[in-house]
Amino acid sequence: MVDIAVIPGDGVGKEIIPQVCEMLYSVDQSLNFVYYDISSKRYLDKGVTVTDEEINDLNGYKSIFFGAIGDFRVKPGIMEQGVILKLRKELDLYMNIRPAISFREITGNEINITILRENMEDFYSGIAGTLPGTKKFKKQDDIYDYNIDISGTSDNTIYYTLGMLSERNLNRFFKKAFEIADSDIITVTDKANAVEMYSLWRDIAGRYSTKMGKKINFEYADSLAYNIIKNPSKYRYIIAPNLYGDIISDMTSSLAGGLGYAPSGNIGDKTSMFEPVHGSAPDIAGKDIANPVASILSSIMMLKHIGMNETAAIIEKSLKNIINNGIIPIESGGSYTTSGFIKQIVARATLMNNEL
Ligand code: NAI
Ligand code: MG
């Protein structure tokens, strides 16, 4: 038995994820899905985002399959910080992989760019406050040991967020990034020309690329954004700090067919979490029209990550095969509903499984 924790979440996540799990089970009955009700609905009913017990539980799985979190009835930030950012931090998921790989039948082009995004630090440090005011930050764990004392004196209100990068986190991040990037075309991006902390980013990128025999190109994030749109075929792997990686990966996913085709993996040394890049899409939830491909691609990444390569290959081939045969989701102008599209994969995969 291979246990996988499943957090369907809200909106289209709740709609798509259980159907994708059933699809996976139809191909491989060794999979066992354990569901966790971490959702905005539960927060509205009971006032809890994620409990310590759940974090403890989730830390025991090799992989977690996540849908999306977000509901307009909850104030922005509560679920995003209380669930998504918290899971990344507490489960130590320091590498975010976001492939943007197009299907020619859908986009007419061939985009093959994977963003490797630092997932813990930068401007997502969570160290924030206002001045005037007095705030002390203390933290001590494997990575950090800091004590920051900021106090305000002026009557001019200032909001701040500290961007930070640590050598220890970047060491493991770049090592993992160069293990993943199996290509000669690797771009490392930042704004080292304007933001001081990225000099550390550059140093460590340079050190690990040399050590691991990888050729890299540095490109500033603004120039990179410009050039990706102008000439996307110039890029294959892009290694980015947290904030720029977030923005650039939405851009590349739009080139590769849209949010409905963008999968992701949050990788740690112990546990990893796989999820579509899109959110809960409340505007289309409950109508059976959401594109399930991003979740299906995320599940394929998950299976490969835990070494279930045969099962992954069957799903991947089935997905390509049905799209080649004109089975296109509603999002891309086709006629296939969420459930209709998934049924087609199950049918195709069952045929393949029987042929093996
Ligand atoms: P969103 O990704 O949910 O939707 C953006 C647009 O893309 C919408 O028009 C939606 O209909 C469309 N879309 C998204 N997924 C689709 C799919 N599978 N098929 C077809 N169309 C799709 O982003 P939005 O609207 O900014 O956020 C909605 C909620 O989701 C918010 O509460 C937000 O905080 C949350 N969110 C959660 C994320 C997560 O759980 N990782 C990521 C992004 C947003
Ligand atoms: Mg984003």
Side-chain angles (χ1 to χ4, degrees):
M1 275 298 191
V2 180
D3 289 337
I4 292 173
V6 183
I7 305 171
D10 300 318
V12 297
K14 208 164 66 186
E15 208 174 324
I16 300 170
I17 298 296
Q19 294 187 59
V20 173
C21 290
E22 276 176 38
M23 174 197 86
L24 297 176
Y25 185 78
S26 78
V27 178
D28 191 329
Q29 284 85 43
S30 73
L31 292 165
N32 180 41
F33 299 103
V34 185
Y35 282 80
Y36 287 83
D37 175 28
I38 296 169
S39 64
S40 299
K41 179 159 190 317
R42 188 181 70 166
Y43 175 76
L44 288 165
D45 291 347
K46 300 186 178 151
V48 283
T49 48
V50 185
T51 65
D52 291 346
E53 200 190 330
E54 282 165 342
I55 298 274
N56 199 31
D57 251 39
L58 291 170
N59 251 320
Y61 291 88
K62 263 190 108 168
S63 55
I64 302 164
F65 192 30
F66 184 90
I69 289 276
D71 185 307
F72 63 89
R73 291 171 296 176
V74 182
K75 202 172 137 237
I78 293 182
M79 300 308 287
E80 290 82 351
Q81 296 197 13
V83 177
I84 300 167
L85 293 183
K86 184 161 183 188
L87 288 180
R88 280 182 199 160
K89 283 227 159 81
E90 298 287 329
L91 304 177
D92 210 17
L93 308 172
Y94 59 90
M95 163 65 70
N96 191 351
I97 310 177
R98 296 189 162 189
I101 301 172
S102 63
F103 293 92
R104 184 168 260 294
E105 297 72 19
I106 307 265
T107 56
N109 64 9
E110 260 169 51
I111 304 284
N112 184 353
I113 304 176
T114 294
I115 310 286
L116 302 175
R117 169 190 175 196
E118 192 283 308
N119 217 21
M120 311 281 289
E121 302 188 317
D122 198 38
F123 291 103
Y124 292 68
S125 66
I127 305 174
T130 64
L131 296 172
T134 307
K135 202 155 185 173
K136 279 190 201 291
F137 297 99
K138 277 195 188 135
K139 188 169 157 86
Q140 188 169 24
D141 59 26
D142 284 354
I143 297 265
Y144 306 99
D145 181 0
Y146 62 73
N147 190 344
I148 304 170
D149 192 347
I150 303 174
S151 43
T153 51
S154 125
D155 57 357
N156 180 25
T157 301
I158 299 170
Y159 277 68
Y160 63 86
T161 294
L162 292 186
M164 47 185 268
L165 294 172
S166 70
E167 200 173 352
R168 286 181 72 179
N169 184 53
L170 291 186
N171 280 337
R172 62 180 188 170
F173 170 76
F174 276 109
K175 181 168 180 287
K176 179 77 80 190
F178 292 126
E179 279 166 13
I180 296 169
D182 53 356
S183 161
D184 285 339
I185 312 168
I186 305 175
T187 307
V188 177
T189 194
D190 59 39
K191 285 285 290 176
N193 50 346
V195 182
E196 288 77 0
M197 68 176 171
Y198 295 122
S199 63
L200 178 68
W201 171 267
R202 284 208 169 196
D203 283 352
I204 298 178
R207 202 183 307 153
Y208 275 88
S209 64
T210 309
K211 204 160 137 183
M212 297 170 75
K214 302 279 176 163
K215 205 173 119 253
I216 56 170
N217 259 324
F218 286 109
E219 189 167 353
Y220 296 130
D222 44 353
S223 148
L224 177 66
Y226 177 78
N227 284 320
I228 290 174
I229 299 291
K230 255 188 113 174
N231 190 0
S233 63
K234 255 181 62 188
Y235 298 95
R236 180 72 186 84
Y237 282 97
I238 295 171
I239 306 180
N242 210 336
L243 181 58
Y244 305 137
D246 188 10
I247 298 165
I248 287 168
S249 63
D250 271 28
M251 209 174 83
T252 48
S253 78
S254 129
L255 288 174
L259 278 173
Y261 295 89
S264 78
N266 300 277
I267 311 296
D269 289 332
K270 244 171 83 191
T271 186
S272 298
M273 188 166 92
F274 297 84
E275 55 170 327
V277 170
H278 64 74
S280 57
D283 53 337
I284 58 165
K287 297 180 182 159
D288 199 24
I289 59 174
N291 186 352
V293 174
S295 300
I296 295 166
L297 290 171
S298 304
S299 77
I300 294 168
M301 286 174 76
M302 176 171 77
L303 293 173
K304 287 181 181 167
H305 183 78
I306 52 177
M308 300 181 76
N309 294 321
E310 270 173 41
T311 309
I314 291 174
I315 311 265
E316 197 166 21
K317 278 191 201 145
S318 306
L319 175 63
K320 284 194 179 140
N321 183 281
I322 66 166
I323 290 179
N324 274 334
N325 284 303
I327 291 166
I328 307 292
I330 290 171
E331 187 196 20
S332 304
S335 60
Y336 283 83
T337 58
T338 314
S339 57
F341 189 88
I342 293 171
K343 279 199 188 98
Q344 290 290 327
I345 298 200
V346 173
R348 184 67 222 154
T350 309
L351 263 175
M352 277 182 150
N353 232 351
N354 292 342
E355 281 164 11
L356 287 176

